[in-house]
Amino acid sequence: MGRKRTKPDKIRLTEVAKLAGVSPITASRFFRNPAALSVGKRVRVESAAKELGYVPNLAARALASQRTEVVGVLIPSLTNNVFSDVLRGIYDTLDGSRYSIQLANTRYSIFQEEKLLRLFLAQKPAGLIVTGINQTAESRTILESVDCPIVQIMEIGPAPVDMMIGFSHYDAARAGISHLLEQGYRRIGFLGARMDPRVQRRFEGYQAAMNDAALFDPRRVVTTSTPTSVTLGGTLFADLVAKAPDIEAVFCVNDDLALGALFECQRRHISVPEQMAIMGFNDLEFMASAVPTLTSVRTNRYEMGRDAATMVIEAIEGRRPAQPVVDLGFSVMKRQSSAPRN
Amino acid sequence: MGRKRTKPDKIRLTEVAKLAGVSPITASRFFRNPAALSVGKRVRVESAAKELGYVPNLAARALASQRTEVVGVLIPSLTNNVFSDVLRGIYDTLDGSRYSIQLANTRYSIFQEEKLLRLFLAQKPAGLIVTGINQTAESRTILESVDCPIVQIMEIGPAPVDMMIGFSHYDAARAGISHLLEQGYRRIGFLGARMDPRVQRRFEGYQAAMNDAALFDPRRVVTTSTPTSVTLGGTLFADLVAKAPDIEAVFCVNDDLALGALFECQRRHISVPEQMAIMGFNDLEFMASAVPTLTSVRTNRYEMGRDAATMVIEAIEGRRPAQPVVDLGFSVMKRQSSAPRN
DNA sequence: CAATCTGTTGGTAGCGCTGTCAATATGAGT
DNA sequence: ACTCATATTGACAGCGCTACCAACAGATTG
């Protein structure tokens, strides 16, 4: 025969129901939808649960109801400040709700992403937040077959799987370059690290803006697949200056690189912005604090996380957003490091 | 009567077993402990599972086996770089294992921590990683009653709940101050933000070292409960200089503050280290890259996460570590910003 | 007064998997 | 040939909860 019966000291819903003098199913309803109970029973179940210290068994709940209250979140990096801001937005929103978060880290690999997506499937998530729009064909198929709301974050593009919230990295980079051009800079270099799809699109924005002004020159582009860091910013800047000594300004695909470039300028006694303008991307907190203050393209990362989480919750609960694709935009934060060229 | 029968197109273990020509329980064993099967059945089940695209139902597994393969992780902040390094260590280790991670964010609140701990209970985690040694009495009781391995990270102290990995913030700060004293600095200020328990202990280390040298002066201490930032470093430094204009060196409880202090010095044309020595804490990547390079107390954050994860896994699988409390130490990274005082 | 409706409650069965133990097959030892 | 140990497999029941439907009370309606 089967296993031994449950130890009698374990607190199950049955125990709560017994103490409250109701049927188990009524006790169950207290947790799912208290409004459906009469006031008397509601109070009785509540106090019984408290008295016994009842803790619901989530596995049983998930098995019986065929769904969970877990929102899966897939991001490419835990180290990058950009994602920690997004995550904070997600956690701040979801922590106040009934949903919990399952976070996984793709390490910028779409294959890792595919693997993790499969893993999520086994959990029957209530919703999914995934980074970016470059999934493998296989991942895309999985996402389309999953029966839950999905929000793609960080960028927007054609053909959302479901919902989407982000901004155009192409336009943002382009706007940054336009600013530098307006300030009078012409020989503008490009510093790129990691070169993930979004950075790639920032490069395209840079290239387009420079081409439009008939100023694009590939010798002024320095990129690497290495993960970004402040130190790397210094190294790349040194490479750039070596390749193109006549450079007047540098657009960095993120703020760490920009800070590294600033330090390298200080090391070489190149004055910023007199001899070299610097522009970053994301507008991390320190940019406004550096000396000189550093120009950057601000992205709304916290808001992205917050709104993505709100969108999933709403969609889970049946309230589809009027607008499934949300453009959060960006803004060029003009600071000392891109002062008008004399 | 009960609900409708399962749709026949759903792939359950039963379907796999049927296709493989074995009993469901044998198919189950294939996933739990393939070595227990004969080679023939093993191959048959494996190919059947692949053919049908079987995805196990984790909720059912958890309910039947009364355990999960989830490791709960409680950290106080997602934004702080310090924790992202620790997290990376944890994810790198656990991603390669059968265990998955449930991450929750206490926002530096021990009451939030208590709440989240209760939430974790409902999941019957296989292991737990919690930050620090300052839990509420209630949390402590919960932790002690939970039937799974627990690792406390970030610091070490007396009376571990189970296992512990970290270092002494007191000793680390003390060692930092000793270095400044050795370099000839006497009027050493203290900049502190957030003032969580670990920062508090760094302050105590500072105070003790200064007292030992008969140099402690409360006017040289500036702290705030505000969360840390680079900008805040500048503000606090300005406060410090206002309170104690004769200051020669400043110990910052983290690297963001140190960077902010450096920027503030640049703004005021105070040369570092000639007129002002600066020291940070944690040794984030940018410290070695700043101009001048910034002295800091290096902490082994990635290793802490990695080893904590390893310890939980080992303990879950019955191999208790020989040493339940691990001191990862620290090292003072001596750089330009604390050059010997002339 | 019967018919209908709404609000509240309970009975039953089953979600998909695995722990326990029994059954059977296989090989070794006497 | 027989016993005993070991490897492999299966039957059974049940993990704790909830979906589905039925039932019933009381209110409302014609």
Side-chain angles (χ1 to χ4, degrees), chain A residues 11-12 34 39-40 43 47 112 124 128 135-136 145-146 177 188 215 241 244 256 275 283 294 299 301 324 335:
Chain A
I11 311 300
R12 304 194 309 290
V39 183
V43 173
S47 68
Q112 179 75 7
K124 301 183 188 295
L128 233 36
Q135 281 82 26
T136 62
S145 71
V146 171
I177 300 300
I188 305 172
L215 289 170
V241 170
D256 286 347
Q275 296 170 276
D283 197 33
L294 294 169
T299 56
R301 302 178 299 284
R335 301 212 181 87

Side-chain angles (χ1 to χ4, degrees), chain A residues 56-72:
Chain A
N57 181 319
L58 297 185
R61 181 178 286 178
L63 180 59
S65 67
Q66 296 286 62
R67 61 207 159 70
T68 62
E69 291 178 343
V70 173
V71 173

Side-chain angles (χ1 to χ4, degrees), chain A residues 16 24 26 71 87 90 134 146 152 154 157-158 167 173 177 196 198 207 211 218 221 239 242 250 294 306 327:
Chain A
V16 175
T26 301
V71 173
L87 271 184
I90 295 176
N134 293 75
V146 171
Q152 291 168 285
M154 294 311 291
F167 64 95
I177 300 300
D196 63 72
R198 286 168 295 287
Q207 192 174 26
N211 268 329
V221 174
D239 292 354
V250 59
L294 294 169
R306 187 195 57 196
D327 185 348

Side-chain angles (χ1 to χ4, degrees), chain A residues 2 5-6 10 12-13 28 32 54 61 64:
Chain A
R5 282 273 10 175
T6 317
K10 215 149 122 209
R12 304 194 309 290
L13 199 48
S28 166
R32 312 248 94 242
Y54 171 68
R61 181 178 286 178

Side-chain angles (χ1 to χ4, degrees), chain A residues 13 16-17 19-24 26-31 37-52 54:
Chain A
L13 199 48
V16 175
L19 181 61
V22 299
S23 71
T26 301
S28 166
R29 266 191 282 261
F30 169 76
F31 294 101
L37 295 195
S38 63
V39 183
K41 309 243 167 182
R42 200 182 312 165
V43 173
R44 296 237 298 286
V45 175
E46 182 163 25
S47 68
K50 187 166 290 174
E51 187 179 333
L52 296 172
Y54 171 68

Side-chain angles (χ1 to χ4, degrees), chain B residues 174 207-215:
Chain B
R174 212 171 155 135
Q207 193 174 25
M210 293 300 278
N211 268 329
D212 284 358
L215 289 169

Side-chain angles (χ1 to χ4, degrees), chain B residues 58-75:
Chain B
L58 297 185
R61 182 178 285 180
L63 180 59
S65 66
Q66 295 287 65
R67 62 207 161 72
T68 63
E69 290 178 343
V70 173
V71 173
V73 178
L74 274 174
I75 56 160

